[in-house]
Each structure stands twice: as structure tokens, then as C-alpha cells.
Amino acid sequence: MTTLYPFSAMRIDGTPFSMEALRGQVVLIVNTASACGYTGQYAGLQALHERFHVHGLEILAFPCNQFGNQEPHGNAEVADFCTRRFGVTFGLFAKTDVNGDQALPLWRWLTGAEGSRPQPVKWNFTKFLIDRKGRLVRRYEPSLTPAEIEDDLRSVLGLEKASLPGER
């Protein structure tokens, strides 16, 4: 598959979600964990969501326990933690594997698991940027903060550097 749209996933509340609903949007997909050194990035992701959602950005967070057992909680606890601690209002999805045989087809696509040069996720808070045509355009390793990818987001969203109210 060459675009995001054929995939689906379960929201954190257990309801199914078709990625087709994101057609025409810019999407940032992140594997997350609530007990990781990078967990504070939830705040940065929320800031990006608040700033750019109106311009067509959707953020999708997929909790994962494959790295250092840093997401040991169930979906309800993760949802509560994210909303209570970081005020998360972007898309939270059910806990999942991002690597290996149990990984969702979406994650197998993102990592190229079916291809000749797979690039498995190495740690929590790896980010994948999808353009408005559903194509994967960039991958960011965990140490790159949400603020550090803002210029790329602006570019893919078609926004000038100072195009938002209050910016110069």
C-alpha cells in the first residue's frame, strides 16, 4: 500500500477508526508511552494540535509497551493519564505493538516491515509525518521534539513561516 487511507485502527475507547476519514489532512503518527523519558512530549504534541488543527493537522498517538515496559497500563488508564496530565485532545488509539508479528498493518507500512529495507521503531515517541495525499513524507526519531518539527509541519500544511495570527 502506498497511502495511509486503506488502514484502520481502534481508538482508545475501543471504537474502530478508518484512516480514510483523514483524507486531505496532514497527519502526525506517534508511538507513545506514559513512563518514558520522552513522555513530556505529550505537551508539545498537544501544543502542535492546538496551533495547527484548524489548518488540517491531525495527531494520532498509539501507546506501546514494546520499549522498556514503559506503557504497562491499560487503555482506560492511558486515556486518563493523557487527558489529566497533559490535556490531550488529539487522537488516542488503543495500545498496540509497532514492531513484529503483532504490529498493526498501519505500523508495518510505516516501518516498511514488508519491504526489502525495514526500519523498525527503535523507541517511544518516534514520529511519522503524512502529507495531505496520505503519503509518508518524513520520519523523526524520538529525541526530536514536537517543537523541532514545526517548520516541516508548516511546510506540509502549506503555511508560511509567519502566517498565523500573532506571528511576525
Side-chain angles (χ1 to χ4, degrees), residues 25-28 44-59 132 146-147 149-165 167:
Q25 304 296 307
V26 171
V27 181
L28 186 65
L45 293 168
Q46 181 61 29
L48 290 178
H49 174 74
E50 290 171 4
R51 190 169 194 166
F52 296 110
H53 180 73
V54 69
H55 298 285
L57 176 66
E58 294 290 341
I59 298 175
R132 291 187 189 275
I149 67 173
E150 185 173 320
D151 286 345
D152 286 351
L153 287 176
R154 285 177 181 273
S155 178
V156 175
L157 287 164
L159 298 173
E160 295 296 320
K161 180 81 173 162
S163 65
L164 299 179
E167 295 182 339

PDB file of all heavy atoms in Angstrom, residues 25-28 44-59 132 146-147 149-165 167:
ATOM      1  N   GLN A  25      -6.060  15.565   5.072  1.00  0.00           N
ATOM      2  CA  GLN A  25      -5.439  16.131   6.266  1.00  0.00           C
ATOM      3  C   GLN A  25      -3.945  15.812   6.283  1.00  0.00           C
ATOM      4  O   GLN A  25      -3.497  14.854   5.651  1.00  0.00           O
ATOM      5  CB  GLN A  25      -6.076  15.549   7.533  1.00  0.00           C
ATOM      6  CG  GLN A  25      -7.572  15.720   7.626  1.00  0.00           C
ATOM      7  CD  GLN A  25      -7.971  17.164   7.714  1.00  0.00           C
ATOM      8  OE1 GLN A  25      -7.492  17.902   8.551  1.00  0.00           O
ATOM      9  NE2 GLN A  25      -8.848  17.587   6.821  1.00  0.00           N
ATOM     10  N   VAL A  26      -3.178  16.587   7.008  1.00  0.00           N
ATOM     11  CA  VAL A  26      -1.796  16.250   7.326  1.00  0.00           C
ATOM     12  C   VAL A  26      -1.856  15.493   8.650  1.00  0.00           C
ATOM     13  O   VAL A  26      -2.564  15.895   9.574  1.00  0.00           O
ATOM     14  CB  VAL A  26      -0.930  17.520   7.446  1.00  0.00           C
ATOM     15  CG1 VAL A  26       0.448  17.198   7.998  1.00  0.00           C
ATOM     16  CG2 VAL A  26      -0.837  18.214   6.091  1.00  0.00           C
ATOM     17  N   VAL A  27      -1.134  14.389   8.727  1.00  0.00           N
ATOM     18  CA  VAL A  27      -1.232  13.515   9.896  1.00  0.00           C
ATOM     19  C   VAL A  27       0.157  13.279  10.488  1.00  0.00           C
ATOM     20  O   VAL A  27       1.112  12.999   9.756  1.00  0.00           O
ATOM     21  CB  VAL A  27      -1.879  12.161   9.516  1.00  0.00           C
ATOM     22  CG1 VAL A  27      -2.010  11.257  10.736  1.00  0.00           C
ATOM     23  CG2 VAL A  27      -3.239  12.377   8.858  1.00  0.00           C
ATOM     24  N   LEU A  28       0.245  13.383  11.808  1.00  0.00           N
ATOM     25  CA  LEU A  28       1.452  13.041  12.541  1.00  0.00           C
ATOM     26  C   LEU A  28       1.109  11.844  13.419  1.00  0.00           C
ATOM     27  O   LEU A  28       0.226  11.936  14.278  1.00  0.00           O
ATOM     28  CB  LEU A  28       1.928  14.226  13.389  1.00  0.00           C
ATOM     29  CG  LEU A  28       3.270  14.053  14.091  1.00  0.00           C
ATOM     30  CD1 LEU A  28       4.412  13.936  13.077  1.00  0.00           C
ATOM     31  CD2 LEU A  28       3.527  15.217  15.045  1.00  0.00           C
ATOM     32  N   GLY A  44       4.081  18.917  24.084  1.00  0.00           N
ATOM     33  CA  GLY A  44       4.444  19.510  22.805  1.00  0.00           C
ATOM     34  C   GLY A  44       3.523  19.086  21.683  1.00  0.00           C
ATOM     35  O   GLY A  44       3.179  19.885  20.802  1.00  0.00           O
ATOM     36  N   LEU A  45       3.122  17.829  21.699  1.00  0.00           N
ATOM     37  CA  LEU A  45       2.168  17.348  20.695  1.00  0.00           C
ATOM     38  C   LEU A  45       0.830  18.067  20.847  1.00  0.00           C
ATOM     39  O   LEU A  45       0.210  18.466  19.860  1.00  0.00           O
ATOM     40  CB  LEU A  45       1.987  15.827  20.805  1.00  0.00           C
ATOM     41  CG  LEU A  45       3.204  14.987  20.438  1.00  0.00           C
ATOM     42  CD1 LEU A  45       2.999  13.535  20.863  1.00  0.00           C
ATOM     43  CD2 LEU A  45       3.495  15.080  18.943  1.00  0.00           C
ATOM     44  N   GLN A  46       0.390  18.253  22.093  1.00  0.00           N
ATOM     45  CA  GLN A  46      -0.860  18.968  22.329  1.00  0.00           C
ATOM     46  C   GLN A  46      -0.753  20.414  21.848  1.00  0.00           C
ATOM     47  O   GLN A  46      -1.686  20.954  21.250  1.00  0.00           O
ATOM     48  CB  GLN A  46      -1.256  18.914  23.810  1.00  0.00           C
ATOM     49  CG  GLN A  46      -2.554  19.626  24.135  1.00  0.00           C
ATOM     50  CD  GLN A  46      -3.772  19.057  23.424  1.00  0.00           C
ATOM     51  OE1 GLN A  46      -3.827  17.864  23.109  1.00  0.00           O
ATOM     52  NE2 GLN A  46      -4.762  19.897  23.147  1.00  0.00           N
ATOM     53  N   ALA A  47       0.399  21.032  22.072  1.00  0.00           N
ATOM     54  CA  ALA A  47       0.605  22.413  21.606  1.00  0.00           C
ATOM     55  C   ALA A  47       0.517  22.475  20.077  1.00  0.00           C
ATOM     56  O   ALA A  47      -0.105  23.399  19.529  1.00  0.00           O
ATOM     57  CB  ALA A  47       1.943  22.949  22.094  1.00  0.00           C
ATOM     58  N   LEU A  48       1.128  21.519  19.391  1.00  0.00           N
ATOM     59  CA  LEU A  48       1.024  21.474  17.929  1.00  0.00           C
ATOM     60  C   LEU A  48      -0.425  21.295  17.504  1.00  0.00           C
ATOM     61  O   LEU A  48      -0.891  21.943  16.565  1.00  0.00           O
ATOM     62  CB  LEU A  48       1.870  20.336  17.346  1.00  0.00           C
ATOM     63  CG  LEU A  48       3.378  20.482  17.416  1.00  0.00           C
ATOM     64  CD1 LEU A  48       4.043  19.233  16.840  1.00  0.00           C
ATOM     65  CD2 LEU A  48       3.856  21.739  16.704  1.00  0.00           C
ATOM     66  N   HIS A  49      -1.134  20.414  18.189  1.00  0.00           N
ATOM     67  CA  HIS A  49      -2.544  20.169  17.865  1.00  0.00           C
ATOM     68  C   HIS A  49      -3.353  21.458  18.016  1.00  0.00           C
ATOM     69  O   HIS A  49      -4.144  21.806  17.130  1.00  0.00           O
ATOM     70  CB  HIS A  49      -3.096  19.069  18.770  1.00  0.00           C
ATOM     71  CG  HIS A  49      -4.558  18.836  18.614  1.00  0.00           C
ATOM     72  ND1 HIS A  49      -5.105  18.204  17.525  1.00  0.00           N
ATOM     73  CD2 HIS A  49      -5.595  19.170  19.405  1.00  0.00           C
ATOM     74  CE1 HIS A  49      -6.419  18.157  17.656  1.00  0.00           C
ATOM     75  NE2 HIS A  49      -6.741  18.739  18.795  1.00  0.00           N
ATOM     76  N   GLU A  50      -3.158  22.151  19.114  1.00  0.00           N
ATOM     77  CA  GLU A  50      -3.915  23.385  19.355  1.00  0.00           C
ATOM     78  C   GLU A  50      -3.596  24.456  18.320  1.00  0.00           C
ATOM     79  O   GLU A  50      -4.465  25.228  17.930  1.00  0.00           O
ATOM     80  CB  GLU A  50      -3.633  23.898  20.767  1.00  0.00           C
ATOM     81  CG  GLU A  50      -4.248  23.015  21.832  1.00  0.00           C
ATOM     82  CD  GLU A  50      -3.810  23.361  23.241  1.00  0.00           C
ATOM     83  OE1 GLU A  50      -3.066  24.360  23.434  1.00  0.00           O
ATOM     84  OE2 GLU A  50      -4.188  22.609  24.163  1.00  0.00           O
ATOM     85  N   ARG A  51      -2.381  24.482  17.870  1.00  0.00           N
ATOM     86  CA  ARG A  51      -1.943  25.515  16.935  1.00  0.00           C
ATOM     87  C   ARG A  51      -2.315  25.220  15.489  1.00  0.00           C
ATOM     88  O   ARG A  51      -2.657  26.121  14.730  1.00  0.00           O
ATOM     89  CB  ARG A  51      -0.439  25.669  17.062  1.00  0.00           C
ATOM     90  CG  ARG A  51       0.096  26.837  16.343  1.00  0.00           C
ATOM     91  CD  ARG A  51       1.514  27.034  16.761  1.00  0.00           C
ATOM     92  NE  ARG A  51       1.916  28.344  16.325  1.00  0.00           N
ATOM     93  CZ  ARG A  51       2.971  28.951  16.728  1.00  0.00           C
ATOM     94  NH1 ARG A  51       3.738  28.392  17.624  1.00  0.00           N
ATOM     95  NH2 ARG A  51       3.278  30.131  16.261  1.00  0.00           N
ATOM     96  N   PHE A  52      -2.233  23.957  15.090  1.00  0.00           N
ATOM     97  CA  PHE A  52      -2.347  23.624  13.667  1.00  0.00           C
ATOM     98  C   PHE A  52      -3.553  22.772  13.281  1.00  0.00           C
ATOM     99  O   PHE A  52      -3.785  22.538  12.099  1.00  0.00           O
ATOM    100  CB  PHE A  52      -1.064  22.928  13.193  1.00  0.00           C
ATOM    101  CG  PHE A  52       0.144  23.803  13.283  1.00  0.00           C
ATOM    102  CD1 PHE A  52       1.138  23.541  14.217  1.00  0.00           C
ATOM    103  CD2 PHE A  52       0.300  24.899  12.440  1.00  0.00           C
ATOM    104  CE1 PHE A  52       2.263  24.353  14.306  1.00  0.00           C
ATOM    105  CE2 PHE A  52       1.418  25.708  12.518  1.00  0.00           C
ATOM    106  CZ  PHE A  52       2.399  25.436  13.450  1.00  0.00           C
ATOM    107  N   HIS A  53      -4.334  22.320  14.253  1.00  0.00           N
ATOM    108  CA  HIS A  53      -5.507  21.502  13.915  1.00  0.00           C
ATOM    109  C   HIS A  53      -6.450  22.237  12.959  1.00  0.00           C
ATOM    110  O   HIS A  53      -6.959  21.657  12.003  1.00  0.00           O
ATOM    111  CB  HIS A  53      -6.238  21.055  15.183  1.00  0.00           C
ATOM    112  CG  HIS A  53      -7.438  20.214  14.920  1.00  0.00           C
ATOM    113  ND1 HIS A  53      -7.344  18.901  14.500  1.00  0.00           N
ATOM    114  CD2 HIS A  53      -8.753  20.488  14.985  1.00  0.00           C
ATOM    115  CE1 HIS A  53      -8.556  18.412  14.318  1.00  0.00           C
ATOM    116  NE2 HIS A  53      -9.436  19.349  14.611  1.00  0.00           N
ATOM    117  N   VAL A  54      -6.661  23.500  13.210  1.00  0.00           N
ATOM    118  CA  VAL A  54      -7.553  24.306  12.373  1.00  0.00           C
ATOM    119  C   VAL A  54      -7.042  24.397  10.928  1.00  0.00           C
ATOM    120  O   VAL A  54      -7.801  24.648  10.006  1.00  0.00           O
ATOM    121  CB  VAL A  54      -7.779  25.709  12.997  1.00  0.00           C
ATOM    122  CG1 VAL A  54      -6.502  26.536  12.939  1.00  0.00           C
ATOM    123  CG2 VAL A  54      -8.929  26.424  12.329  1.00  0.00           C
ATOM    124  N   HIS A  55      -5.750  24.147  10.728  1.00  0.00           N
ATOM    125  CA  HIS A  55      -5.149  24.197   9.390  1.00  0.00           C
ATOM    126  C   HIS A  55      -5.063  22.822   8.737  1.00  0.00           C
ATOM    127  O   HIS A  55      -4.496  22.694   7.651  1.00  0.00           O
ATOM    128  CB  HIS A  55      -3.759  24.829   9.467  1.00  0.00           C
ATOM    129  CG  HIS A  55      -3.794  26.232   9.958  1.00  0.00           C
ATOM    130  ND1 HIS A  55      -4.213  27.295   9.175  1.00  0.00           N
ATOM    131  CD2 HIS A  55      -3.500  26.755  11.175  1.00  0.00           C
ATOM    132  CE1 HIS A  55      -4.164  28.398   9.884  1.00  0.00           C
ATOM    133  NE2 HIS A  55      -3.743  28.107  11.094  1.00  0.00           N
ATOM    134  N   GLY A  56      -5.606  21.806   9.421  1.00  0.00           N
ATOM    135  CA  GLY A  56      -5.652  20.475   8.818  1.00  0.00           C
ATOM    136  C   GLY A  56      -4.707  19.449   9.399  1.00  0.00           C
ATOM    137  O   GLY A  56      -4.506  18.387   8.810  1.00  0.00           O
ATOM    138  N   LEU A  57      -4.137  19.687  10.579  1.00  0.00           N
ATOM    139  CA  LEU A  57      -3.255  18.713  11.212  1.00  0.00           C
ATOM    140  C   LEU A  57      -4.048  17.789  12.129  1.00  0.00           C
ATOM    141  O   LEU A  57      -4.824  18.252  12.961  1.00  0.00           O
ATOM    142  CB  LEU A  57      -2.159  19.404  12.033  1.00  0.00           C
ATOM    143  CG  LEU A  57      -1.241  18.460  12.822  1.00  0.00           C
ATOM    144  CD1 LEU A  57      -0.405  17.583  11.892  1.00  0.00           C
ATOM    145  CD2 LEU A  57      -0.348  19.250  13.763  1.00  0.00           C
ATOM    146  N   GLU A  58      -3.815  16.510  11.982  1.00  0.00           N
ATOM    147  CA  GLU A  58      -4.349  15.503  12.902  1.00  0.00           C
ATOM    148  C   GLU A  58      -3.168  14.778  13.531  1.00  0.00           C
ATOM    149  O   GLU A  58      -2.220  14.405  12.830  1.00  0.00           O
ATOM    150  CB  GLU A  58      -5.229  14.487  12.165  1.00  0.00           C
ATOM    151  CG  GLU A  58      -6.494  15.069  11.582  1.00  0.00           C
ATOM    152  CD  GLU A  58      -7.522  15.470  12.629  1.00  0.00           C
ATOM    153  OE1 GLU A  58      -7.444  14.993  13.779  1.00  0.00           O
ATOM    154  OE2 GLU A  58      -8.408  16.272  12.288  1.00  0.00           O
ATOM    155  N   ILE A  59      -3.205  14.610  14.838  1.00  0.00           N
ATOM    156  CA  ILE A  59      -2.167  13.859  15.548  1.00  0.00           C
ATOM    157  C   ILE A  59      -2.795  12.588  16.081  1.00  0.00           C
ATOM    158  O   ILE A  59      -3.862  12.629  16.701  1.00  0.00           O
ATOM    159  CB  ILE A  59      -1.554  14.698  16.685  1.00  0.00           C
ATOM    160  CG1 ILE A  59      -0.876  15.938  16.098  1.00  0.00           C
ATOM    161  CG2 ILE A  59      -0.552  13.859  17.494  1.00  0.00           C
ATOM    162  CD1 ILE A  59      -0.337  16.913  17.123  1.00  0.00           C
ATOM    163  N   ARG A 132      -1.013  15.510   2.795  1.00  0.00           N
ATOM    164  CA  ARG A 132      -2.453  15.566   2.500  1.00  0.00           C
ATOM    165  C   ARG A 132      -2.908  14.514   1.491  1.00  0.00           C
ATOM    166  O   ARG A 132      -4.099  14.265   1.356  1.00  0.00           O
ATOM    167  CB  ARG A 132      -2.836  16.958   1.997  1.00  0.00           C
ATOM    168  CG  ARG A 132      -2.744  18.037   3.067  1.00  0.00           C
ATOM    169  CD  ARG A 132      -3.295  19.359   2.547  1.00  0.00           C
ATOM    170  NE  ARG A 132      -3.039  20.463   3.444  1.00  0.00           N
ATOM    171  CZ  ARG A 132      -3.808  20.778   4.481  1.00  0.00           C
ATOM    172  NH1 ARG A 132      -4.876  20.085   4.762  1.00  0.00           N
ATOM    173  NH2 ARG A 132      -3.494  21.830   5.233  1.00  0.00           N
ATOM    174  N   PRO A 146       8.473  17.769  19.430  1.00  0.00           N
ATOM    175  CA  PRO A 146       7.426  18.324  18.572  1.00  0.00           C
ATOM    176  C   PRO A 146       7.738  19.738  18.089  1.00  0.00           C
ATOM    177  O   PRO A 146       7.514  20.053  16.921  1.00  0.00           O
ATOM    178  CB  PRO A 146       6.180  18.272  19.461  1.00  0.00           C
ATOM    179  CG  PRO A 146       6.423  17.076  20.330  1.00  0.00           C
ATOM    180  CD  PRO A 146       7.904  17.149  20.642  1.00  0.00           C
ATOM    181  N   ALA A 147       8.282  20.589  18.946  1.00  0.00           N
ATOM    182  CA  ALA A 147       8.617  21.956  18.528  1.00  0.00           C
ATOM    183  C   ALA A 147       9.652  21.969  17.406  1.00  0.00           C
ATOM    184  O   ALA A 147       9.613  22.828  16.525  1.00  0.00           O
ATOM    185  CB  ALA A 147       9.128  22.760  19.725  1.00  0.00           C
ATOM    186  N   ILE A 149       9.926  19.971  14.955  1.00  0.00           N
ATOM    187  CA  ILE A 149       9.402  19.570  13.644  1.00  0.00           C
ATOM    188  C   ILE A 149       8.372  20.569  13.119  1.00  0.00           C
ATOM    189  O   ILE A 149       7.782  20.360  12.067  1.00  0.00           O
ATOM    190  CB  ILE A 149       8.825  18.131  13.668  1.00  0.00           C
ATOM    191  CG1 ILE A 149       7.579  18.037  14.533  1.00  0.00           C
ATOM    192  CG2 ILE A 149       9.881  17.136  14.134  1.00  0.00           C
ATOM    193  CD1 ILE A 149       6.886  16.688  14.445  1.00  0.00           C
ATOM    194  N   GLU A 150       8.186  21.670  13.835  1.00  0.00           N
ATOM    195  CA  GLU A 150       7.174  22.652  13.454  1.00  0.00           C
ATOM    196  C   GLU A 150       7.385  23.206  12.047  1.00  0.00           C
ATOM    197  O   GLU A 150       6.420  23.373  11.293  1.00  0.00           O
ATOM    198  CB  GLU A 150       7.112  23.793  14.467  1.00  0.00           C
ATOM    199  CG  GLU A 150       5.989  24.758  14.161  1.00  0.00           C
ATOM    200  CD  GLU A 150       5.800  25.811  15.233  1.00  0.00           C
ATOM    201  OE1 GLU A 150       5.893  25.492  16.437  1.00  0.00           O
ATOM    202  OE2 GLU A 150       5.527  26.965  14.847  1.00  0.00           O
ATOM    203  N   ASP A 151       8.609  23.489  11.659  1.00  0.00           N
ATOM    204  CA  ASP A 151       8.848  24.018  10.312  1.00  0.00           C
ATOM    205  C   ASP A 151       8.408  23.025   9.235  1.00  0.00           C
ATOM    206  O   ASP A 151       7.817  23.415   8.232  1.00  0.00           O
ATOM    207  CB  ASP A 151      10.314  24.406  10.118  1.00  0.00           C
ATOM    208  CG  ASP A 151      10.690  25.693  10.846  1.00  0.00           C
ATOM    209  OD1 ASP A 151       9.777  26.438  11.268  1.00  0.00           O
ATOM    210  OD2 ASP A 151      11.898  25.942  10.988  1.00  0.00           O
ATOM    211  N   ASP A 152       8.683  21.752   9.450  1.00  0.00           N
ATOM    212  CA  ASP A 152       8.234  20.726   8.498  1.00  0.00           C
ATOM    213  C   ASP A 152       6.711  20.677   8.447  1.00  0.00           C
ATOM    214  O   ASP A 152       6.124  20.551   7.371  1.00  0.00           O
ATOM    215  CB  ASP A 152       8.776  19.346   8.870  1.00  0.00           C
ATOM    216  CG  ASP A 152      10.255  19.191   8.575  1.00  0.00           C
ATOM    217  OD1 ASP A 152      10.852  20.071   7.929  1.00  0.00           O
ATOM    218  OD2 ASP A 152      10.823  18.162   9.003  1.00  0.00           O
ATOM    219  N   LEU A 153       6.066  20.772   9.603  1.00  0.00           N
ATOM    220  CA  LEU A 153       4.600  20.771   9.638  1.00  0.00           C
ATOM    221  C   LEU A 153       4.045  21.952   8.844  1.00  0.00           C
ATOM    222  O   LEU A 153       3.129  21.793   8.045  1.00  0.00           O
ATOM    223  CB  LEU A 153       4.077  20.825  11.071  1.00  0.00           C
ATOM    224  CG  LEU A 153       4.208  19.566  11.903  1.00  0.00           C
ATOM    225  CD1 LEU A 153       3.735  19.821  13.329  1.00  0.00           C
ATOM    226  CD2 LEU A 153       3.436  18.425  11.285  1.00  0.00           C
ATOM    227  N   ARG A 154       4.596  23.115   9.091  1.00  0.00           N
ATOM    228  CA  ARG A 154       4.151  24.312   8.365  1.00  0.00           C
ATOM    229  C   ARG A 154       4.282  24.095   6.859  1.00  0.00           C
ATOM    230  O   ARG A 154       3.391  24.454   6.098  1.00  0.00           O
ATOM    231  CB  ARG A 154       4.964  25.534   8.769  1.00  0.00           C
ATOM    232  CG  ARG A 154       4.616  26.103  10.107  1.00  0.00           C
ATOM    233  CD  ARG A 154       5.568  27.275  10.407  1.00  0.00           C
ATOM    234  NE  ARG A 154       5.301  27.856  11.689  1.00  0.00           N
ATOM    235  CZ  ARG A 154       4.401  28.817  11.903  1.00  0.00           C
ATOM    236  NH1 ARG A 154       3.690  29.290  10.921  1.00  0.00           N
ATOM    237  NH2 ARG A 154       4.220  29.292  13.111  1.00  0.00           N
ATOM    238  N   SER A 155       5.407  23.540   6.440  1.00  0.00           N
ATOM    239  CA  SER A 155       5.643  23.314   5.013  1.00  0.00           C
ATOM    240  C   SER A 155       4.607  22.357   4.425  1.00  0.00           C
ATOM    241  O   SER A 155       4.002  22.644   3.388  1.00  0.00           O
ATOM    242  CB  SER A 155       7.061  22.768   4.818  1.00  0.00           C
ATOM    243  OG  SER A 155       7.292  22.490   3.463  1.00  0.00           O
ATOM    244  N   VAL A 156       4.388  21.233   5.082  1.00  0.00           N
ATOM    245  CA  VAL A 156       3.438  20.239   4.575  1.00  0.00           C
ATOM    246  C   VAL A 156       2.003  20.769   4.640  1.00  0.00           C
ATOM    247  O   VAL A 156       1.180  20.458   3.788  1.00  0.00           O
ATOM    248  CB  VAL A 156       3.595  18.887   5.319  1.00  0.00           C
ATOM    249  CG1 VAL A 156       2.549  17.883   4.899  1.00  0.00           C
ATOM    250  CG2 VAL A 156       4.993  18.320   5.073  1.00  0.00           C
ATOM    251  N   LEU A 157       1.711  21.610   5.631  1.00  0.00           N
ATOM    252  CA  LEU A 157       0.389  22.232   5.737  1.00  0.00           C
ATOM    253  C   LEU A 157       0.210  23.380   4.750  1.00  0.00           C
ATOM    254  O   LEU A 157      -0.899  23.868   4.557  1.00  0.00           O
ATOM    255  CB  LEU A 157       0.158  22.757   7.161  1.00  0.00           C
ATOM    256  CG  LEU A 157      -0.100  21.706   8.236  1.00  0.00           C
ATOM    257  CD1 LEU A 157       0.085  22.293   9.631  1.00  0.00           C
ATOM    258  CD2 LEU A 157      -1.484  21.097   8.070  1.00  0.00           C
ATOM    259  N   GLY A 158       1.306  23.834   4.146  1.00  0.00           N
ATOM    260  CA  GLY A 158       1.239  24.946   3.197  1.00  0.00           C
ATOM    261  C   GLY A 158       1.142  26.299   3.880  1.00  0.00           C
ATOM    262  O   GLY A 158       0.559  27.229   3.332  1.00  0.00           O
ATOM    263  N   LEU A 159       1.725  26.409   5.069  1.00  0.00           N
ATOM    264  CA  LEU A 159       1.679  27.664   5.821  1.00  0.00           C
ATOM    265  C   LEU A 159       3.020  28.366   5.741  1.00  0.00           C
ATOM    266  O   LEU A 159       4.072  27.752   5.851  1.00  0.00           O
ATOM    267  CB  LEU A 159       1.365  27.381   7.299  1.00  0.00           C
ATOM    268  CG  LEU A 159       0.024  26.719   7.582  1.00  0.00           C
ATOM    269  CD1 LEU A 159      -0.065  26.350   9.065  1.00  0.00           C
ATOM    270  CD2 LEU A 159      -1.119  27.614   7.171  1.00  0.00           C
ATOM    271  N   GLU A 160       2.966  29.666   5.582  1.00  0.00           N
ATOM    272  CA  GLU A 160       4.180  30.475   5.606  1.00  0.00           C
ATOM    273  C   GLU A 160       4.706  30.532   7.033  1.00  0.00           C
ATOM    274  O   GLU A 160       3.970  30.329   7.991  1.00  0.00           O
ATOM    275  CB  GLU A 160       3.866  31.891   5.107  1.00  0.00           C
ATOM    276  CG  GLU A 160       3.445  31.947   3.662  1.00  0.00           C
ATOM    277  CD  GLU A 160       4.534  31.515   2.705  1.00  0.00           C
ATOM    278  OE1 GLU A 160       5.708  31.867   2.940  1.00  0.00           O
ATOM    279  OE2 GLU A 160       4.218  30.787   1.752  1.00  0.00           O
ATOM    280  N   LYS A 161       5.954  30.882   7.171  1.00  0.00           N
ATOM    281  CA  LYS A 161       6.598  30.952   8.488  1.00  0.00           C
ATOM    282  C   LYS A 161       5.824  31.811   9.487  1.00  0.00           C
ATOM    283  O   LYS A 161       5.661  31.461  10.624  1.00  0.00           O
ATOM    284  CB  LYS A 161       8.030  31.494   8.325  1.00  0.00           C
ATOM    285  CG  LYS A 161       8.791  31.619   9.603  1.00  0.00           C
ATOM    286  CD  LYS A 161       9.370  30.313  10.031  1.00  0.00           C
ATOM    287  CE  LYS A 161      10.276  30.518  11.227  1.00  0.00           C
ATOM    288  NZ  LYS A 161      10.564  29.372  11.948  1.00  0.00           N
ATOM    289  N   ALA A 162       5.298  32.960   9.053  1.00  0.00           N
ATOM    290  CA  ALA A 162       4.593  33.858   9.975  1.00  0.00           C
ATOM    291  C   ALA A 162       3.156  34.069   9.518  1.00  0.00           C
ATOM    292  O   ALA A 162       2.669  35.183   9.466  1.00  0.00           O
ATOM    293  CB  ALA A 162       5.326  35.180  10.062  1.00  0.00           C
ATOM    294  N   SER A 163       2.478  32.984   9.228  1.00  0.00           N
ATOM    295  CA  SER A 163       1.134  33.121   8.666  1.00  0.00           C
ATOM    296  C   SER A 163       0.005  32.994   9.686  1.00  0.00           C
ATOM    297  O   SER A 163      -1.150  33.158   9.346  1.00  0.00           O
ATOM    298  CB  SER A 163       0.930  32.089   7.554  1.00  0.00           C
ATOM    299  OG  SER A 163       0.973  30.780   8.104  1.00  0.00           O
ATOM    300  N   LEU A 164       0.338  32.689  10.924  1.00  0.00           N
ATOM    301  CA  LEU A 164      -0.693  32.527  11.926  1.00  0.00           C
ATOM    302  C   LEU A 164      -0.891  33.821  12.712  1.00  0.00           C
ATOM    303  O   LEU A 164       0.052  34.591  12.888  1.00  0.00           O
ATOM    304  CB  LEU A 164      -0.337  31.384  12.880  1.00  0.00           C
ATOM    305  CG  LEU A 164      -0.187  30.009  12.232  1.00  0.00           C
ATOM    306  CD1 LEU A 164       0.189  28.973  13.272  1.00  0.00           C
ATOM    307  CD2 LEU A 164      -1.452  29.602  11.517  1.00  0.00           C
ATOM    308  N   PRO A 165      -2.096  34.078  13.184  1.00  0.00           N
ATOM    309  CA  PRO A 165      -2.336  35.294  13.953  1.00  0.00           C
ATOM    310  C   PRO A 165      -1.360  35.433  15.119  1.00  0.00           C
ATOM    311  O   PRO A 165      -1.043  34.463  15.783  1.00  0.00           O
ATOM    312  CB  PRO A 165      -3.768  35.105  14.473  1.00  0.00           C
ATOM    313  CG  PRO A 165      -4.385  34.143  13.521  1.00  0.00           C
ATOM    314  CD  PRO A 165      -3.274  33.239  13.058  1.00  0.00           C
ATOM    315  N   GLU A 167       1.797  36.119  14.873  1.00  0.00           N
ATOM    316  CA  GLU A 167       3.180  35.855  14.483  1.00  0.00           C
ATOM    317  C   GLU A 167       3.694  36.969  13.581  1.00  0.00           C
ATOM    318  O   GLU A 167       2.926  37.617  12.881  1.00  0.00           O
ATOM    319  CB  GLU A 167       3.278  34.514  13.729  1.00  0.00           C
ATOM    320  CG  GLU A 167       2.938  33.338  14.606  1.00  0.00           C
ATOM    321  CD  GLU A 167       3.084  32.016  13.895  1.00  0.00           C
ATOM    322  OE1 GLU A 167       3.070  31.980  12.658  1.00  0.00           O
ATOM    323  OE2 GLU A 167       3.196  31.023  14.606  1.00  0.00           O
TER     324      GLU A 167
END
